[in-house]
Amino acid sequence: GAGVSQSPSNKVTEKGKDVELRCDPISGHTALYWYRQSLGQGLEFLIYFQGNSAPDKSGLPSDRFSAERTGGSVSTLTIQRTQQEDSAVYLCASSLAGQGSGEQYFGPGTRLTVT
Amino acid sequence: SQQGEEDPQALSIQEGENATMNCSYKTSINNLQWYRQNSGRGLVHLILIRSNEREKHSGRLRVTLDTSKKSSSLLITASRAADTASYFCATRNTDKLIFGTGTRLQVFP
């Protein structure tokens, strides 16, 4: 079946512009995660959605970052007034449920470059 | 913040050799997972070990877990050039996975 998809695969934007990154999780996966990975670094947790529960936003680095998940499926990560330090690969993952083993399935990521 | 720390940060070996990567973490866990990442893109799940398990095998992979030392190791036996990638450990406590900093493995043919 189809895996996690993300779009766009690459995004170049000017400093100060807003960007939207999209994630389509695997059908039936109730949990969705966003991570950020700077060059050569590990994954930084950003936000987590589980079913209809309030999202865990504890990893968002500033109020310029926000995310939505509509209808329990597609999610959009929005970065307002982008800064150069926002340049990174943004990874989305989904899993069957928040509980249980928690094996996550990752999308290919969106490489964001802020010039 | 990072929960796990992998070492070494980078490892270079010849094909056929074994590669061992270590992961240390800080808090109690439900399970520990290892992931592989090629070319800075999406991660692929390799193996999961639960907190009440000490060792697990999957093909050429062997994972150990020592909860008293809060550490885990990933052994790749008989390495191949195609094993070249970054490897991350991730610990699960409640709903989230917390990833380590990764080990970059280079396998030379």
Side-chain angles (χ1 to χ4, degrees):
Chain A
V4 178
S5 61
Q6 292 186 245
S7 61
S9 56
N10 288 283
K11 175 73 177 177
V12 180
T13 189
E14 292 180 351
K15 177 182 172 181
K17 301 284 189 183
D18 298 350
V19 295
E20 285 190 352
L21 312 179
R22 177 187 169 106
C23 172
D24 282 89
I26 293 173
S27 177
H29 280 193
T30 59
L32 186 148
Y33 308 79
W34 282 98
Y35 298 90
R36 177 170 71 174
Q37 186 177 31
S38 300
L39 185 64
Q41 301 298 310
L43 274 71
E44 176 188 4
F45 166 78
L46 296 178
I47 188 169
Y48 158 60
F49 295 90
Q50 169 53 34
N52 296 321
S53 302
D56 178 347
K57 304 179 181 180
S58 60
L60 294 179
S62 78
D63 59 8
R64 296 186 295 106
F65 288 72
S66 62
E68 291 184 342
R69 188 179 186 192
T70 55
S73 181
V74 171
S75 177
T76 302
L77 176 70
T78 300
I79 309 173
Q80 296 178 309
R81 304 181 302 280
T82 52
Q83 304 294 313
Q84 287 184 330
E85 60 263 29
D86 299 335
S87 295
V89 175
Y90 289 81
L91 293 161
C92 173
S94 68
S95 67
L96 273 172
Q99 302 303 319
S101 70
E103 176 183 342
Q104 295 186 8
Y105 296 80
F106 281 80
T110 293
R111 186 179 300 279
L112 175 67
T113 303
V114 181
T115 60
Chain B
S1 62
Q2 299 291 347
Q3 155 82 307
E5 297 280 340
E6 281 100 328
D7 81 273
Q9 290 187 334
L11 179 60
S12 295
I13 59 174
Q14 295 292 130
E15 253 188 341
E17 294 180 341
N18 296 341
T20 299
M21 290 159 268
N22 303 296
C23 168
S24 60
Y25 57 93
K26 299 173 183 174
T27 65
S28 62
I29 62 172
N30 296 331
N31 65 56
L32 186 144
Q33 305 178 27
W34 284 89
Y35 287 79
R36 167 192 166 125
Q37 183 181 39
N38 288 87
S39 305
R41 290 294 184 146
L43 281 72
V44 175
H45 181 267
L46 293 176
I47 193 167
L48 178 152
I49 186 165
R50 302 186 190 283
S51 59
N52 61 353
E53 297 176 313
R54 292 297 167 258
E55 187 170 313
K56 200 160 185 180
H57 298 253
S58 177
R60 294 185 295 114
L61 305 180
R62 182 173 79 95
V63 170
T64 62
L65 178 65
D66 187 337
T67 53
S68 67
K69 296 180 179 179
K70 291 186 168 56
S71 67
S72 173
S73 67
L74 172 67
L75 169 67
I76 304 175
T77 60
S79 64
R80 305 166 181 168
D83 294 329
T84 295
S86 291
Y87 292 82
F88 294 88
C89 69
T91 51
R92 181 175 173 85
N93 183 0
T94 66
D95 296 343
K96 296 185 301 199
L97 283 182
I98 305 297
F99 285 83
T101 51
T103 293
R104 293 184 302 280
L105 174 65
Q106 175 81 51
V107 181
F108 292 98

